[in-house]
Amino acid sequence: MGMCLSCLGGAGDDVVPTPDPETRRCQLAEAAEKRQKETTYRGVKNPEAVERKKKKQEEMNKQEMTTSPSGGGLKWQVG
């Protein structure tokens, strides 16, 4: 069974070596980020607009929290 490789001549030289663990880790992280981004914007025609809208909403919430009075903004009416 092992005799097949001897008849192929230099086929063992064509094997691509496995990259070192750090390079492999970076490649896997990039692939995971790409997949996550693709699934996040799946079905969205304009992902940039969605991002802008989300940032604007976050800024409005943040501004609302900083400008609200220290009492929490609750008003009681007794009537």
Side-chain angles (χ1 to χ4, degrees), residues 1-72:
M1 279 197 190
M3 301 302 287
C4 271
L5 292 177
S6 63
C7 62
L8 291 178
D13 297 336
D14 294 340
V15 176
V16 178
T18 305
D20 63 294
E22 185 63 31
T23 305
R24 183 75 175 143
R25 192 175 300 120
C26 288
Q27 290 173 343
L28 289 173
E30 289 172 2
E33 288 175 8
K34 183 179 177 184
R35 281 193 309 271
Q36 187 176 17
K37 191 176 240 185
E38 287 175 353
T39 57
T40 300
Y41 297 118
R42 187 171 162 187
V44 176
K45 290 182 181 178
N46 192 352
E48 291 85 17
V50 172
E51 281 296 319
R52 284 194 306 266
K53 196 173 191 179
K54 187 186 290 186
K55 275 188 177 179
K56 187 176 179 181
Q57 184 68 31
E58 288 175 0
E59 288 175 7
M60 288 178 64
N61 287 342
K62 190 175 184 180
Q63 185 180 11
E64 192 175 285
M65 295 296 273
T66 58
T67 59
S68 65
S70 62

